[in-house]
Amino acid sequence: MRSKRAGGSAVAWIQDLILAEGLAPGDPMPTEGALCEQLGISRSSVREAMRTLASLDIVEVRHGHGTFVGQLSLSPLVDGLLFRARLNDGNDLRALREVVEVRIALDLSVAEQLVGHYRGTTNPELTGLVDEMRRLASQGEAFANADTAFHETLLAPLPNGLLRQLAQAFWEIHTVAVPLLGIAPAERIIDTINAHQAMLNALEAGDAEAYRQAVLDHYRPLEGVLDAAGAERLDGAAGAGAAPCEQQG
């Protein structure tokens, strides 16, 4: 039965159809022809809508296999904010600073929940990841994988899946953006590593305030790097702007 409605868009209609049919991530979507029939719209409208929905990870096109409901990840958010950070490369790195501020806010907001889970426990997996960070840092190697695993494992007990996804998304944005923007790593990177251990120790001891302090210590080296990089870029921009006047004089 044709169901084309006044107003709205093919994108919204296909989203409504996914909801109405109770489709879940990974489920096959109706064929292009079936969508045209059900929604009473043209094939070109369906194709354009599918391209938009695929860019949002609401649908996934598997060439040779069909179209499926997407994983509904936060990849579009990550891509958009990464572009924003790169677009603002010429200023004081405000976009990247905002990403770090959101990460701090998320980590601080879950202090009580994490304390409730970790109090009185021992967590050799998390301790091992901190040790791996130290080992790699001592050899002058990057430890992003161990760092990512630490944060993912630490937050895994939280019942709020969206919060965990957001934390991971903002972590990914900042770890990708820092090298893309040519920002040097913190000289006192060992302070960041030690802060990971302090966060874990505080949670196991049931001390929410100590955990919050360790979170702030964890980000302090990165904030210092951003401050220095932002000041250097602003100074460079000011110097470039003054050159024509100096030549004229």
Side-chain angles (χ1 to χ4, degrees):
M1 177 180 175
R2 289 176 176 254
S3 59
K4 186 174 180 180
R5 289 149 288 179
S9 68
V11 169
W13 299 338
I14 293 172
Q15 288 176 307
D16 288 347
L17 183 145
I18 291 171
L19 295 173
E21 297 194 3
L23 300 179
D27 287 346
M29 290 286 295
T31 64
E32 185 178 280
L35 288 172
C36 292
E37 180 66 24
Q38 287 179 266
L39 300 176
I41 56 179
S42 67
R43 287 182 179 271
S44 61
S45 295
V46 169
R47 290 169 185 166
E48 183 178 352
M50 284 300 191
R51 283 194 291 269
T52 298
L53 292 168
S55 72
L56 298 171
D57 202 22
I58 293 174
V59 303
E60 177 188 358
V61 179
R62 303 177 192 170
H63 297 291
H65 296 87
T67 304
F68 300 79
V69 179
Q71 295 305 307
L72 311 177
S73 72
L74 296 182
S75 294
L77 172 68
V78 172
D79 292 341
L81 287 177
L82 272 174
F83 180 74
R84 180 182 175 189
R86 296 177 70 184
L87 188 65
N88 290 343
D89 185 20
N91 67 15
D92 60 353
L93 304 173
R94 185 175 298 113
L96 191 51
R97 290 169 185 270
E98 290 172 350
V99 167
V100 173
E101 288 173 3
V102 171
R103 286 196 66 202
I104 293 171
L106 287 172
D107 284 345
L108 293 176
S109 72
V110 296
E112 300 296 341
Q113 293 181 69
L114 290 178
V115 162
H117 176 81
Y118 286 104
R119 181 187 287 113
T121 67
T122 56
N123 299 272
E125 179 182 2
L126 287 164
T127 300
L129 289 168
V130 177
D131 290 341
E132 177 68 0
M133 290 184 226
R134 285 202 181 96
R135 183 187 69 80
L136 291 170
S138 69
Q139 298 173 357
E141 299 179 26
F143 52 84
N145 289 340
D147 202 345
T148 299
F150 177 90
H151 289 280
E152 286 183 344
T153 304
L154 190 75
L155 299 180
L158 295 176
N160 190 323
L162 178 58
L163 190 149
R164 296 196 307 272
Q165 278 189 296
L166 281 171
Q168 178 58 26
F170 280 95
W171 160 254
E172 182 179 346
I173 292 162
H174 121 232
T175 54
V176 172
V178 166
L180 278 177
L181 299 179
I183 300 171
E187 292 182 4
R188 293 291 299 169
I189 198 67
I190 191 64
D191 292 345
T192 297
I193 297 172
N194 290 338
H196 285 82
Q197 187 65 59
M199 290 163 65
L200 179 58
N201 292 345
L203 293 175
E204 292 175 345
D207 190 337
E209 188 53 41
Y211 165 79
R212 293 188 184 96
Q213 184 58 55
V215 167
L216 297 177
D217 292 341
H218 168 267
Y219 288 101
R220 190 164 289 114
L222 176 60
E223 290 177 312
V225 167
L226 291 177
D227 287 344
E232 181 179 345
R233 290 174 187 226
L234 287 176
D235 288 345
C245 294
E246 293 170 356
Q247 290 171 0
Q248 289 175 4

